[in-house]
Amino acid sequence: MSNVAIIGAQWGDEGKGKIVDLFTHDADIIVRFQGGNNAGHTLVVNGKKTVLHLVPSGALHGDKLCVIGNGVVVDPEILIEEIDALKAQGHLQSDAQLRISEQAHVIMPYHKAIDLARERLRGKGKIGTTGRGIGPAYEDKVARVGIRFVDLLEEDTFREKLERNIEEKNFYLKAILQEKALDFAEIHDNYGRYRDKLKGYVTNTGLLLDQRIRAGKRVLFEGAQGTLLDVDHGTYPYVTSSSTVTGGACSGSGVGPQHIQQVIGISKAYTTRVGSGPFPTELDGPDGETLRREGAEFGATTGRSRRCGWFDAVTVRHAVRMNGLTGVALTKLDVLTGFKKIPICTAYRFNGQTVDEFPASSKVMAGAQPVYEEMDGWDERLDDVRKFSDLPATVRKYVKRIEEVIGTEIILVSVGPGREQTIVLRNPFDR
Ligand code: GDP
Ligand code: IMO
Ligand code: MG
């Protein structure tokens, strides 16, 4: 019996939400372990679209436990809005369905103010963050001045930490970032209200997960962002501020690695990226425009248009290795319908040299010229296909070639946003 981690294998938005929702059927507990409301995970069930930012993508199944682990940074205002919206739609009817780690860090108004101000000052060199305060919240965690849920719950601890932080952050905001100072009393009152609304969900989630796993319950770990946005293994500094890889699932949920048996990477059949940073297979012309239009490539969190390009095997191979992927789910195959030829990038060229492995240097990544192998395209619509053998031969050849160049089994192909628009070749919970 397996526990499974679902990890983004590219720059995020690969369709993790859809696949997590699908496999929630086979799990008992769904855990978010990093990131915050920079994530936007889209679920389409019976034609109805739901976008989740903080609550795990298992929330549409009535009988599953959703856990926000210690590695997540939580904006309580956004979480409350999300819980209320889910409840209004008939989900999360029992409060026992959601648990928040007492060690998860709380995003504060100064984190958002600093994030936005820094981006403004960076001008052209901006990272293109989601502006949700994610980076500054993780900075405070590592600087050991962050406020955790357990601190928020203790009125005196919270007051003391907030007083100290506000003094320092206001100095930084005013003197360095030329921003307005924030008001202690207002923040203190607002966060007091958030405390009252959320305290019933807060607990020792590491212990809870251990107890449930020992009792034979099955856990699905839901990654946010993607491997190339990982703070260590991504396109630094154009990354997010957390460990998005499988290792992060352990530290971010308090569960040992022996409890994760299967790791499924989610990858689009092409590539997208939101925000700044190198992207070797990016298409600036009409093909990129077609991918954006056909794939509806607009951010689920910020609404920004996503940059689009061909499938990049160099980066996905990196994700296979970094995460120890045991399989890959290939999404949005339907979007490629209509292209005469579909290139796959198998390596890069830089300074006359062939580069097969993901380079750490931003300069190499920014100057990397993709080496393409051209596959035949197809004209058939795929969104109604439910069996792999019913896919046109050219499509099957494309999938099989991707499987070869990334050296990993493709366990699923997705042919539309709907839960049912999926061809499962192997269920990772079966191993
Ligand atoms: P996530 O952040 O990885 O959960 O992905 P997002 O939800 O941000 O972005 C993926 C988008 O693609 C969403 O709008 C999904 O509804 C949609 N999607 C997922 N799988 C497919 C697919 O196979 N085909 C198409 N056309 N859309 C898909
Ligand atoms: P999901 O979970 C795609 C990107 C931002 C920016 C960089 C840093 O939906 O796949 P941050 O606000 O995290 O400091 O921004 O990371 N980014 C994402 N891109 N999908 C996401 O999440 C992302 N979360 C952050 O666009 O380039
Ligand atoms: Mg997303």
mmCIF file of all heavy atoms in Angstrom, residues 29-36 54-56 66-74 79 98-106 138 141 148-149 201 203-209 220-222 248-255:
data_model
loop_
_atom_site.group_PDB
_atom_site.id
_atom_site.type_symbol
_atom_site.label_atom_id
_atom_site.label_comp_id
_atom_site.label_asym_id
_atom_site.label_seq_id
_atom_site.Cartn_x
_atom_site.Cartn_y
_atom_site.Cartn_z
ATOM 1 N N ILE A 29 -6.016 10.981 3.100
ATOM 2 C CA ILE A 29 -5.544 12.279 3.597
ATOM 3 C C ILE A 29 -4.766 12.986 2.483
ATOM 4 O O ILE A 29 -3.941 12.352 1.810
ATOM 5 C CB ILE A 29 -4.596 12.089 4.813
ATOM 6 C CG1 ILE A 29 -5.272 11.203 5.866
ATOM 7 C CG2 ILE A 29 -4.172 13.425 5.397
ATOM 8 C CD1 ILE A 29 -4.369 10.811 7.014
ATOM 9 N N ILE A 30 -5.011 14.273 2.300
ATOM 10 C CA ILE A 30 -4.301 15.053 1.279
ATOM 11 C C ILE A 30 -3.577 16.178 2.007
ATOM 12 O O ILE A 30 -4.181 16.945 2.749
ATOM 13 C CB ILE A 30 -5.265 15.612 0.214
ATOM 14 C CG1 ILE A 30 -5.980 14.452 -0.503
ATOM 15 C CG2 ILE A 30 -4.520 16.424 -0.846
ATOM 16 C CD1 ILE A 30 -7.109 13.850 0.205
ATOM 17 N N VAL A 31 -2.260 16.287 1.771
ATOM 18 C CA VAL A 31 -1.424 17.217 2.530
ATOM 19 C C VAL A 31 -0.716 18.222 1.617
ATOM 20 O O VAL A 31 0.007 17.821 0.702
ATOM 21 C CB VAL A 31 -0.309 16.453 3.300
ATOM 22 C CG1 VAL A 31 0.417 17.377 4.264
ATOM 23 C CG2 VAL A 31 -0.870 15.256 4.038
ATOM 24 N N ARG A 32 -0.920 19.506 1.881
ATOM 25 C CA ARG A 32 -0.059 20.529 1.263
ATOM 26 C C ARG A 32 1.142 20.699 2.171
ATOM 27 O O ARG A 32 0.986 20.751 3.396
ATOM 28 C CB ARG A 32 -0.813 21.866 1.157
ATOM 29 C CG ARG A 32 -1.661 22.070 -0.094
ATOM 30 C CD ARG A 32 -0.849 22.465 -1.336
ATOM 31 N NE ARG A 32 -0.010 23.647 -1.166
ATOM 32 C CZ ARG A 32 -0.387 24.890 -1.418
ATOM 33 N NH1 ARG A 32 -1.601 25.147 -1.857
ATOM 34 N NH2 ARG A 32 0.458 25.890 -1.247
ATOM 35 N N PHE A 33 2.348 20.778 1.612
ATOM 36 C CA PHE A 33 3.543 20.813 2.463
ATOM 37 C C PHE A 33 4.460 22.014 2.236
ATOM 38 O O PHE A 33 5.447 22.178 2.938
ATOM 39 C CB PHE A 33 4.346 19.513 2.316
ATOM 40 C CG PHE A 33 4.718 19.198 0.886
ATOM 41 C CD1 PHE A 33 5.849 19.740 0.316
ATOM 42 C CD2 PHE A 33 3.924 18.352 0.123
ATOM 43 C CE1 PHE A 33 6.197 19.455 -0.997
ATOM 44 C CE2 PHE A 33 4.252 18.061 -1.201
ATOM 45 C CZ PHE A 33 5.392 18.612 -1.759
ATOM 46 N N GLN A 34 4.173 22.851 1.237
ATOM 47 C CA GLN A 34 5.019 24.048 1.018
ATOM 48 C C GLN A 34 4.224 25.067 0.227
ATOM 49 O O GLN A 34 3.109 24.806 -0.218
ATOM 50 C CB GLN A 34 6.334 23.724 0.330
ATOM 51 C CG GLN A 34 6.297 22.816 -0.867
ATOM 52 C CD GLN A 34 5.662 23.345 -2.133
ATOM 53 O OE1 GLN A 34 4.784 22.700 -2.723
ATOM 54 N NE2 GLN A 34 6.097 24.513 -2.561
ATOM 55 N N GLY A 35 4.849 26.228 0.031
ATOM 56 C CA GLY A 35 4.184 27.289 -0.721
ATOM 57 C C GLY A 35 3.064 27.896 0.096
ATOM 58 O O GLY A 35 2.913 27.610 1.294
ATOM 59 N N GLY A 36 2.305 28.738 -0.560
ATOM 60 C CA GLY A 36 1.184 29.393 0.117
ATOM 61 C C GLY A 36 0.134 29.699 -0.918
ATOM 62 O O GLY A 36 -0.096 28.882 -1.819
ATOM 63 N N LEU A 54 -4.940 27.433 -0.994
ATOM 64 C CA LEU A 54 -4.327 26.946 0.252
ATOM 65 C C LEU A 54 -4.893 25.609 0.715
ATOM 66 O O LEU A 54 -4.165 24.762 1.235
ATOM 67 C CB LEU A 54 -4.536 27.988 1.364
ATOM 68 C CG LEU A 54 -3.544 29.149 1.358
ATOM 69 C CD1 LEU A 54 -4.062 30.302 2.194
ATOM 70 C CD2 LEU A 54 -2.177 28.699 1.859
ATOM 71 N N VAL A 55 -6.192 25.438 0.566
ATOM 72 C CA VAL A 55 -6.817 24.180 0.987
ATOM 73 C C VAL A 55 -6.402 23.101 -0.019
ATOM 74 O O VAL A 55 -6.441 23.334 -1.230
ATOM 75 C CB VAL A 55 -8.361 24.329 1.025
ATOM 76 C CG1 VAL A 55 -9.022 22.982 1.314
ATOM 77 C CG2 VAL A 55 -8.774 25.364 2.071
ATOM 78 N N PRO A 56 -5.961 21.930 0.463
ATOM 79 C CA PRO A 56 -5.556 20.857 -0.451
ATOM 80 C C PRO A 56 -6.661 20.484 -1.454
ATOM 81 O O PRO A 56 -7.849 20.608 -1.145
ATOM 82 C CB PRO A 56 -5.241 19.700 0.500
ATOM 83 C CG PRO A 56 -4.826 20.360 1.769
ATOM 84 C CD PRO A 56 -5.674 21.591 1.872
ATOM 85 N N CYS A 66 -8.092 16.949 4.879
ATOM 86 C CA CYS A 66 -7.167 17.863 4.218
ATOM 87 C C CYS A 66 -6.257 18.497 5.260
ATOM 88 O O CYS A 66 -6.743 19.031 6.262
ATOM 89 C CB CYS A 66 -7.942 18.961 3.485
ATOM 90 S SG CYS A 66 -8.835 18.340 2.051
ATOM 91 N N VAL A 67 -4.958 18.437 5.012
ATOM 92 C CA VAL A 67 -3.985 18.940 5.994
ATOM 93 C C VAL A 67 -3.110 20.024 5.363
ATOM 94 O O VAL A 67 -2.558 19.832 4.283
ATOM 95 C CB VAL A 67 -3.100 17.781 6.520
ATOM 96 C CG1 VAL A 67 -1.982 18.314 7.411
ATOM 97 C CG2 VAL A 67 -3.940 16.756 7.271
ATOM 98 N N ILE A 68 -2.992 21.155 6.064
ATOM 99 C CA ILE A 68 -2.043 22.196 5.672
ATOM 100 C C ILE A 68 -0.837 22.024 6.581
ATOM 101 O O ILE A 68 -0.904 22.282 7.788
ATOM 102 C CB ILE A 68 -2.684 23.594 5.813
ATOM 103 C CG1 ILE A 68 -3.874 23.699 4.833
ATOM 104 C CG2 ILE A 68 -1.653 24.693 5.556
ATOM 105 C CD1 ILE A 68 -4.655 24.990 4.931
ATOM 106 N N GLY A 69 0.270 21.535 6.005
ATOM 107 C CA GLY A 69 1.424 21.122 6.792
ATOM 108 C C GLY A 69 2.276 22.286 7.287
ATOM 109 O O GLY A 69 2.071 23.445 6.897
ATOM 110 N N ASN A 70 3.262 21.954 8.111
ATOM 111 C CA ASN A 70 4.122 22.967 8.736
ATOM 112 C C ASN A 70 4.946 23.764 7.730
ATOM 113 O O ASN A 70 5.380 24.880 8.009
ATOM 114 C CB ASN A 70 5.058 22.307 9.755
ATOM 115 C CG ASN A 70 5.935 21.248 9.126
ATOM 116 O OD1 ASN A 70 5.520 20.090 8.999
ATOM 117 N ND2 ASN A 70 7.130 21.611 8.706
ATOM 118 N N GLY A 71 5.181 23.205 6.526
ATOM 119 C CA GLY A 71 6.010 23.890 5.540
ATOM 120 C C GLY A 71 5.276 24.948 4.734
ATOM 121 O O GLY A 71 5.893 25.675 3.956
ATOM 122 N N VAL A 72 3.959 25.038 4.927
ATOM 123 C CA VAL A 72 3.160 26.011 4.171
ATOM 124 C C VAL A 72 3.214 27.361 4.891
ATOM 125 O O VAL A 72 3.298 27.424 6.117
ATOM 126 C CB VAL A 72 1.690 25.525 4.070
ATOM 127 C CG1 VAL A 72 0.812 26.525 3.331
ATOM 128 C CG2 VAL A 72 1.623 24.162 3.388
ATOM 129 N N VAL A 73 3.190 28.453 4.127
ATOM 130 C CA VAL A 73 3.028 29.776 4.732
ATOM 131 C C VAL A 73 1.592 30.227 4.440
ATOM 132 O O VAL A 73 1.152 30.218 3.297
ATOM 133 C CB VAL A 73 4.065 30.808 4.210
ATOM 134 C CG1 VAL A 73 5.452 30.527 4.786
ATOM 135 C CG2 VAL A 73 4.146 30.824 2.688
ATOM 136 N N VAL A 74 0.870 30.563 5.505
ATOM 137 C CA VAL A 74 -0.584 30.733 5.396
ATOM 138 C C VAL A 74 -0.997 32.191 5.588
ATOM 139 O O VAL A 74 -0.704 32.795 6.630
ATOM 140 C CB VAL A 74 -1.302 29.867 6.454
ATOM 141 C CG1 VAL A 74 -2.819 30.042 6.342
ATOM 142 C CG2 VAL A 74 -0.933 28.393 6.289
ATOM 143 N N LEU A 79 -7.156 32.193 3.622
ATOM 144 C CA LEU A 79 -7.620 30.852 3.999
ATOM 145 C C LEU A 79 -9.073 30.886 4.456
ATOM 146 O O LEU A 79 -9.887 30.037 4.073
ATOM 147 C CB LEU A 79 -6.712 30.264 5.093
ATOM 148 C CG LEU A 79 -7.113 28.880 5.593
ATOM 149 C CD1 LEU A 79 -7.154 27.858 4.455
ATOM 150 C CD2 LEU A 79 -6.166 28.389 6.691
ATOM 151 N N LEU A 98 -10.560 19.512 7.976
ATOM 152 C CA LEU A 98 -9.385 20.346 7.679
ATOM 153 C C LEU A 98 -8.538 20.511 8.935
ATOM 154 O O LEU A 98 -9.069 20.803 10.022
ATOM 155 C CB LEU A 98 -9.840 21.734 7.176
ATOM 156 C CG LEU A 98 -8.717 22.724 6.873
ATOM 157 C CD1 LEU A 98 -7.887 22.269 5.677
ATOM 158 C CD2 LEU A 98 -9.289 24.127 6.612
ATOM 159 N N ARG A 99 -7.248 20.342 8.799
ATOM 160 C CA ARG A 99 -6.319 20.561 9.901
ATOM 161 C C ARG A 99 -5.152 21.437 9.422
ATOM 162 O O ARG A 99 -4.669 21.266 8.310
ATOM 163 C CB ARG A 99 -5.776 19.221 10.427
ATOM 164 C CG ARG A 99 -6.811 18.439 11.258
ATOM 165 C CD ARG A 99 -7.072 19.164 12.561
ATOM 166 N NE ARG A 99 -8.215 18.695 13.326
ATOM 167 C CZ ARG A 99 -9.423 19.240 13.321
ATOM 168 N NH1 ARG A 99 -9.687 20.268 12.532
ATOM 169 N NH2 ARG A 99 -10.388 18.791 14.089
ATOM 170 N N ILE A 100 -4.743 22.375 10.304
ATOM 171 C CA ILE A 100 -3.627 23.277 9.986
ATOM 172 C C ILE A 100 -2.525 23.014 10.996
ATOM 173 O O ILE A 100 -2.790 22.946 12.207
ATOM 174 C CB ILE A 100 -4.060 24.759 10.119
ATOM 175 C CG1 ILE A 100 -5.308 25.045 9.271
ATOM 176 C CG2 ILE A 100 -2.915 25.702 9.739
ATOM 177 C CD1 ILE A 100 -5.960 26.393 9.591
ATOM 178 N N SER A 101 -1.293 22.904 10.527
ATOM 179 C CA SER A 101 -0.177 22.676 11.438
ATOM 180 C C SER A 101 0.030 23.872 12.358
ATOM 181 O O SER A 101 0.038 25.025 11.912
ATOM 182 C CB SER A 101 1.107 22.437 10.646
ATOM 183 O OG SER A 101 2.206 22.490 11.534
ATOM 184 N N GLU A 102 0.235 23.577 13.641
ATOM 185 C CA GLU A 102 0.522 24.650 14.595
ATOM 186 C C GLU A 102 1.877 25.305 14.302
ATOM 187 O O GLU A 102 2.163 26.402 14.752
ATOM 188 C CB GLU A 102 0.483 24.112 16.032
ATOM 189 C CG GLU A 102 1.416 22.935 16.272
ATOM 190 C CD GLU A 102 1.198 22.241 17.606
ATOM 191 O OE1 GLU A 102 0.300 22.635 18.356
ATOM 192 O OE2 GLU A 102 1.950 21.282 17.889
ATOM 193 N N GLN A 103 2.704 24.601 13.522
ATOM 194 C CA GLN A 103 4.028 25.156 13.195
ATOM 195 C C GLN A 103 4.056 25.909 11.866
ATOM 196 O O GLN A 103 5.092 26.455 11.487
ATOM 197 C CB GLN A 103 5.064 24.036 13.140
ATOM 198 C CG GLN A 103 5.346 23.436 14.504
ATOM 199 C CD GLN A 103 6.036 22.103 14.365
ATOM 200 O OE1 GLN A 103 5.523 21.191 13.700
ATOM 201 N NE2 GLN A 103 7.198 21.979 14.962
ATOM 202 N N ALA A 104 2.946 25.909 11.135
ATOM 203 C CA ALA A 104 2.926 26.637 9.858
ATOM 204 C C ALA A 104 3.078 28.126 10.146
ATOM 205 O O ALA A 104 2.519 28.643 11.124
ATOM 206 C CB ALA A 104 1.614 26.373 9.122
ATOM 207 N N HIS A 105 3.833 28.816 9.303
ATOM 208 C CA HIS A 105 4.054 30.247 9.508
ATOM 209 C C HIS A 105 2.919 31.066 8.909
ATOM 210 O O HIS A 105 2.325 30.682 7.901
ATOM 211 C CB HIS A 105 5.408 30.667 8.918
ATOM 212 C CG HIS A 105 6.547 30.299 9.818
ATOM 213 N ND1 HIS A 105 7.354 31.236 10.421
ATOM 214 C CD2 HIS A 105 6.978 29.087 10.262
ATOM 215 C CE1 HIS A 105 8.243 30.612 11.173
ATOM 216 N NE2 HIS A 105 8.041 29.313 11.091
ATOM 217 N N VAL A 106 2.662 32.202 9.564
ATOM 218 C CA VAL A 106 1.551 33.059 9.176
ATOM 219 C C VAL A 106 2.086 34.210 8.324
ATOM 220 O O VAL A 106 3.077 34.847 8.689
ATOM 221 C CB VAL A 106 0.855 33.610 10.445
ATOM 222 C CG1 VAL A 106 -0.306 34.512 10.068
ATOM 223 C CG2 VAL A 106 0.377 32.454 11.333
ATOM 224 N N TYR A 138 8.917 33.411 4.175
ATOM 225 C CA TYR A 138 9.943 32.370 4.352
ATOM 226 C C TYR A 138 11.252 32.964 4.873
ATOM 227 O O TYR A 138 11.970 32.313 5.629
ATOM 228 C CB TYR A 138 10.191 31.621 3.033
ATOM 229 C CG TYR A 138 9.163 30.536 2.756
ATOM 230 C CD1 TYR A 138 8.289 30.632 1.694
ATOM 231 C CD2 TYR A 138 9.078 29.399 3.573
ATOM 232 C CE1 TYR A 138 7.352 29.632 1.429
ATOM 233 C CE2 TYR A 138 8.150 28.400 3.332
ATOM 234 C CZ TYR A 138 7.290 28.519 2.250
ATOM 235 O OH TYR A 138 6.370 27.535 2.007
ATOM 236 N N LYS A 141 10.913 33.133 8.523
ATOM 237 C CA LYS A 141 10.980 31.799 9.127
ATOM 238 C C LYS A 141 12.449 31.417 9.331
ATOM 239 O O LYS A 141 12.859 31.009 10.418
ATOM 240 C CB LYS A 141 10.284 30.801 8.196
ATOM 241 C CG LYS A 141 10.451 29.349 8.566
ATOM 242 C CD LYS A 141 9.621 28.492 7.611
ATOM 243 C CE LYS A 141 9.863 27.011 7.815
ATOM 244 N NZ LYS A 141 8.867 26.196 7.110
ATOM 245 N N ARG A 148 4.280 31.739 14.000
ATOM 246 C CA ARG A 148 3.620 30.476 13.654
ATOM 247 C C ARG A 148 2.202 30.471 14.214
ATOM 248 O O ARG A 148 1.874 31.293 15.076
ATOM 249 C CB ARG A 148 4.421 29.302 14.225
ATOM 250 C CG ARG A 148 5.865 29.241 13.760
ATOM 251 C CD ARG A 148 6.677 28.286 14.616
ATOM 252 N NE ARG A 148 6.627 28.685 16.027
ATOM 253 C CZ ARG A 148 6.948 27.907 17.058
ATOM 254 N NH1 ARG A 148 7.369 26.678 16.852
ATOM 255 N NH2 ARG A 148 6.861 28.360 18.301
ATOM 256 N N PHE A 149 1.399 29.508 13.774
ATOM 257 C CA PHE A 149 0.036 29.436 14.306
ATOM 258 C C PHE A 149 0.037 29.260 15.820
ATOM 259 O O PHE A 149 -0.776 29.842 16.524
ATOM 260 C CB PHE A 149 -0.768 28.317 13.623
ATOM 261 C CG PHE A 149 -1.503 28.831 12.420
ATOM 262 C CD1 PHE A 149 -0.932 28.766 11.166
ATOM 263 C CD2 PHE A 149 -2.746 29.429 12.549
ATOM 264 C CE1 PHE A 149 -1.590 29.272 10.057
ATOM 265 C CE2 PHE A 149 -3.412 29.955 11.447
ATOM 266 C CZ PHE A 149 -2.839 29.873 10.199
ATOM 267 N N TYR A 201 -9.032 24.558 13.906
ATOM 268 C CA TYR A 201 -8.398 23.682 12.905
ATOM 269 C C TYR A 201 -6.935 23.377 13.236
ATOM 270 O O TYR A 201 -6.328 22.518 12.618
ATOM 271 C CB TYR A 201 -8.390 24.368 11.531
ATOM 272 C CG TYR A 201 -9.743 24.679 10.939
ATOM 273 C CD1 TYR A 201 -10.238 25.988 10.892
ATOM 274 C CD2 TYR A 201 -10.531 23.667 10.395
ATOM 275 C CE1 TYR A 201 -11.468 26.275 10.328
ATOM 276 C CE2 TYR A 201 -11.764 23.947 9.827
ATOM 277 C CZ TYR A 201 -12.229 25.258 9.795
ATOM 278 O OH TYR A 201 -13.436 25.538 9.241
ATOM 279 N N THR A 203 -3.537 22.136 14.886
ATOM 280 C CA THR A 203 -3.116 21.004 15.711
ATOM 281 C C THR A 203 -1.695 20.571 15.342
ATOM 282 O O THR A 203 -1.063 21.157 14.472
ATOM 283 C CB THR A 203 -4.114 19.827 15.542
ATOM 284 O OG1 THR A 203 -3.867 18.850 16.537
ATOM 285 C CG2 THR A 203 -3.999 19.178 14.170
ATOM 286 N N ASN A 204 -1.217 19.521 16.005
ATOM 287 C CA ASN A 204 0.088 18.934 15.685
ATOM 288 C C ASN A 204 -0.124 17.965 14.515
ATOM 289 O O ASN A 204 -0.422 16.791 14.711
ATOM 290 C CB ASN A 204 0.632 18.214 16.925
ATOM 291 C CG ASN A 204 1.990 17.596 16.679
ATOM 292 O OD1 ASN A 204 2.397 17.380 15.538
ATOM 293 N ND2 ASN A 204 2.701 17.295 17.753
ATOM 294 N N THR A 205 0.030 18.469 13.300
ATOM 295 C CA THR A 205 -0.323 17.657 12.130
ATOM 296 C C THR A 205 0.702 16.558 11.843
ATOM 297 O O THR A 205 0.351 15.522 11.274
ATOM 298 C CB THR A 205 -0.485 18.546 10.873
ATOM 299 O OG1 THR A 205 0.671 19.370 10.751
ATOM 300 C CG2 THR A 205 -1.728 19.412 10.960
ATOM 301 N N GLY A 206 1.977 16.772 12.238
ATOM 302 C CA GLY A 206 2.986 15.723 12.051
ATOM 303 C C GLY A 206 2.602 14.485 12.848
ATOM 304 O O GLY A 206 2.649 13.352 12.345
ATOM 305 N N LEU A 207 2.192 14.704 14.072
ATOM 306 C CA LEU A 207 1.769 13.599 14.938
ATOM 307 C C LEU A 207 0.512 12.934 14.378
ATOM 308 O O LEU A 207 0.421 11.699 14.294
ATOM 309 C CB LEU A 207 1.501 14.147 16.350
ATOM 310 C CG LEU A 207 1.058 13.131 17.399
ATOM 311 C CD1 LEU A 207 2.160 12.125 17.681
ATOM 312 C CD2 LEU A 207 0.667 13.856 18.703
ATOM 313 N N LEU A 208 -0.434 13.755 13.968
ATOM 314 C CA LEU A 208 -1.682 13.240 13.404
ATOM 315 C C LEU A 208 -1.409 12.350 12.186
ATOM 316 O O LEU A 208 -1.948 11.242 12.070
ATOM 317 C CB LEU A 208 -2.573 14.428 12.998
ATOM 318 C CG LEU A 208 -3.868 14.101 12.264
ATOM 319 C CD1 LEU A 208 -4.893 13.506 13.217
ATOM 320 C CD2 LEU A 208 -4.454 15.365 11.611
ATOM 321 N N LEU A 209 -0.512 12.826 11.298
ATOM 322 C CA LEU A 209 -0.201 12.047 10.088
ATOM 323 C C LEU A 209 0.461 10.722 10.467
ATOM 324 O O LEU A 209 0.132 9.675 9.905
ATOM 325 C CB LEU A 209 0.717 12.846 9.157
ATOM 326 C CG LEU A 209 0.032 14.004 8.422
ATOM 327 C CD1 LEU A 209 1.065 14.879 7.706
ATOM 328 C CD2 LEU A 209 -0.992 13.486 7.417
ATOM 329 N N LEU A 220 -1.790 11.389 0.328
ATOM 330 C CA LEU A 220 -1.402 12.000 -0.942
ATOM 331 C C LEU A 220 -0.783 13.359 -0.621
ATOM 332 O O LEU A 220 -1.443 14.221 -0.025
ATOM 333 C CB LEU A 220 -2.658 12.149 -1.811
ATOM 334 C CG LEU A 220 -2.565 12.796 -3.183
ATOM 335 C CD1 LEU A 220 -1.428 12.221 -3.988
ATOM 336 C CD2 LEU A 220 -3.880 12.594 -3.926
ATOM 337 N N PHE A 221 0.482 13.513 -0.943
ATOM 338 C CA PHE A 221 1.188 14.778 -0.689
ATOM 339 C C PHE A 221 1.061 15.649 -1.941
ATOM 340 O O PHE A 221 1.451 15.212 -3.027
ATOM 341 C CB PHE A 221 2.672 14.509 -0.385
ATOM 342 C CG PHE A 221 2.876 13.695 0.870
ATOM 343 C CD1 PHE A 221 2.898 12.302 0.823
ATOM 344 C CD2 PHE A 221 3.043 14.315 2.099
ATOM 345 C CE1 PHE A 221 3.084 11.542 1.971
ATOM 346 C CE2 PHE A 221 3.229 13.569 3.256
ATOM 347 C CZ PHE A 221 3.246 12.178 3.196
ATOM 348 N N GLU A 222 0.523 16.842 -1.768
ATOM 349 C CA GLU A 222 0.248 17.718 -2.915
ATOM 350 C C GLU A 222 1.269 18.842 -3.022
ATOM 351 O O GLU A 222 1.253 19.787 -2.228
ATOM 352 C CB GLU A 222 -1.155 18.332 -2.768
ATOM 353 C CG GLU A 222 -1.485 19.339 -3.854
ATOM 354 C CD GLU A 222 -2.886 19.937 -3.712
ATOM 355 O OE1 GLU A 222 -3.571 19.662 -2.702
ATOM 356 O OE2 GLU A 222 -3.282 20.684 -4.630
ATOM 357 N N GLY A 248 10.949 18.221 0.140
ATOM 358 C CA GLY A 248 10.125 19.193 0.852
ATOM 359 C C GLY A 248 8.864 18.578 1.440
ATOM 360 O O GLY A 248 8.306 19.097 2.414
ATOM 361 N N ALA A 249 8.424 17.471 0.857
ATOM 362 C CA ALA A 249 7.209 16.818 1.373
ATOM 363 C C ALA A 249 7.457 16.258 2.767
ATOM 364 O O ALA A 249 6.558 16.231 3.614
ATOM 365 C CB ALA A 249 6.746 15.715 0.426
ATOM 366 N N CYS A 250 8.699 15.819 3.023
ATOM 367 C CA CYS A 250 9.032 15.275 4.349
ATOM 368 C C CYS A 250 9.187 16.405 5.354
ATOM 369 O O CYS A 250 8.516 16.421 6.386
ATOM 370 C CB CYS A 250 10.310 14.460 4.278
ATOM 371 S SG CYS A 250 10.148 13.000 3.275
ATOM 372 N N SER A 251 10.064 17.371 5.033
ATOM 373 C CA SER A 251 10.289 18.442 6.007
ATOM 374 C C SER A 251 9.040 19.301 6.168
ATOM 375 O O SER A 251 8.775 19.812 7.247
ATOM 376 C CB SER A 251 11.490 19.301 5.599
ATOM 377 O OG SER A 251 11.270 19.878 4.349
ATOM 378 N N GLY A 252 8.254 19.423 5.117
ATOM 379 C CA GLY A 252 7.088 20.309 5.174
ATOM 380 C C GLY A 252 5.823 19.673 5.728
ATOM 381 O O GLY A 252 4.797 20.349 5.852
ATOM 382 N N SER A 253 5.919 18.377 6.053
ATOM 383 C CA SER A 253 4.731 17.749 6.657
ATOM 384 C C SER A 253 5.088 17.007 7.940
ATOM 385 O O SER A 253 4.209 16.577 8.685
ATOM 386 C CB SER A 253 4.069 16.787 5.666
ATOM 387 O OG SER A 253 4.934 15.715 5.383
ATOM 388 N N GLY A 254 6.402 16.846 8.185
ATOM 389 C CA GLY A 254 6.828 16.138 9.399
ATOM 390 C C GLY A 254 6.668 14.628 9.283
ATOM 391 O O GLY A 254 6.473 13.938 10.281
ATOM 392 N N VAL A 255 6.788 14.120 8.051
ATOM 393 C CA VAL A 255 6.647 12.683 7.809
ATOM 394 C C VAL A 255 7.968 12.160 7.257
ATOM 395 O O VAL A 255 8.561 12.789 6.378
ATOM 396 C CB VAL A 255 5.495 12.435 6.793
ATOM 397 C CG1 VAL A 255 5.507 11.012 6.274
ATOM 398 C CG2 VAL A 255 4.146 12.768 7.431
#
